[in-house]
Amino acid sequence: MPGLVLTYHSMNVLGNEYANNDHVALAQDLCSLDEAGFEIVPLSDLVDAWESQALADVRWVAITFDDGGALDARDVVHPTCGPQTSFLNILLEFSSRFGASQPRVNASSFVIASPAARAELDHKDFLSLGWWGDDWWRPATEQGMLAIESHSWDHNHPSLAQTLIAKQGHFELHDLHEARAEVELANDYIGEMTGRRPQFLAYPWGQSSDFLRSDYFPNNIDRHGLKAVFGTAPAFLGAASNRWDLPRFVCGDHWRSPEDFLKLLEGDRSDKR
């Protein structure tokens, strides 16, 4: 079976059931992965194995988190749903229980880099709860369970009063100026804050453009320094996958129940929601 990349959003807390809480889903899915014989590995290891065409002989999965909310790494008390265990502590608890079969448990957090954008999003979309800071990035990196990667400078998010790119709510960038602003500025800031520049980027909303996939990313590696970029096409990593738009399955979009998740692991990628 080819490689598998899964995506969760720690801010997705609308209740305390699998279908409406990515923390509940992650905790259960980790156990399902172990039971199904998958090894959870760092994203960089999975990409290296894909690049060397070594995935045919292994059952590897990489875990990724999008947007970079503090719930990736910190337990919180949600104003309507109560206490929530962070993604990091879910991983640590799983590792303590399944360390023998899962010696490389790790995840990658794709974070929005801009402090101003995160502060505005926290105020407008999350009741000014203070859940979008970056003070947890370096401790998480140094702890070794989470790698901090890029989700662009400001996500070109429609909730923001102003973004680097004039047309908000999409990420189909079409020129070098836009790409350098959203990609390279983010990499510089994340590198400064964590001591490690990102190796990977995840497209906001999974959106990209032919310019990004075919021109900017492959022809400017010396500038952006990225090994690969991820979209959200629901597919397994395979020989035909594009390094600059690698596929990922997204919790809540591509599966919504434990039963859906098991079908996904079996290679059933049809939409049966």
Side-chain angles (χ1 to χ4, degrees), residues 32-241:
S32 295
L33 287 167
D34 186 76
E35 186 174 350
F38 283 82
E39 183 181 355
I40 301 163
V41 302
L43 186 62
S44 58
D45 289 2
L46 186 70
V47 171
D48 287 346
W50 167 77
E51 185 177 28
S52 63
Q53 300 182 354
L55 286 176
D57 300 323
V58 297
R59 291 170 65 84
W60 283 3
V61 58
I63 305 296
T64 65
F65 308 141
D66 275 10
D67 294 339
L71 281 71
D72 282 12
R74 290 180 177 165
D75 297 352
V76 303
V77 177
H78 191 278
T80 60
C81 299
Q84 303 296 319
T85 304
S86 70
F87 281 173
L88 175 58
N89 282 333
I90 289 170
L91 291 169
L92 289 169
E93 193 276 336
F94 174 79
S95 179
S96 70
R97 292 174 55 200
F98 295 90
S101 58
Q102 301 289 345
R104 290 190 285 170
V105 175
N106 191 276
S108 294
S109 293
F110 288 98
V111 304
I112 297 171
S114 168
R118 285 184 278 103
E120 186 175 348
L121 290 170
D122 186 74
H123 173 68
K124 289 183 175 179
D125 294 348
F126 286 91
L127 304 173
S128 296
L129 291 169
W131 288 354
W132 234 320
D134 52 34
D135 56 334
W136 61 271
W137 294 359
R138 184 179 287 268
T141 298
E142 293 174 347
Q143 192 270 349
M145 187 66 74
L146 290 181
I148 304 301
E149 307 294 352
S150 175
H151 204 30
S152 81
W153 176 249
D154 58 22
H155 204 287
N156 208 25
H157 203 286
S159 292
L160 299 174
Q162 184 175 357
T163 64
L164 290 180
I165 308 305
K167 186 177 179 181
Q168 295 166 268
H170 74 96
F171 207 74
E172 298 173 0
L173 311 185
H174 295 292
D175 64 51
L176 192 60
H177 170 74
E178 292 182 345
R180 287 178 174 173
E182 285 288 357
V183 177
E184 295 170 30
L185 186 60
N187 290 354
D188 290 343
Y189 183 79
I190 293 169
E192 178 183 349
M193 295 300 293
T194 68
R196 171 190 171 275
R197 287 177 61 82
Q199 292 183 302
F200 305 106
L201 177 139
Y203 292 120
W205 308 288
Q207 295 178 353
S208 61
S209 62
D210 183 67
F211 167 73
L212 289 172
R213 297 187 301 270
S214 302
D215 187 345
Y216 173 70
F217 281 116
N219 295 327
N220 292 276
I221 296 174
D222 59 330
R223 293 188 60 92
H224 59 69
L226 298 171
K227 293 176 61 175
V229 181
F230 289 84
T232 55
F236 290 79
L237 287 180
S241 298

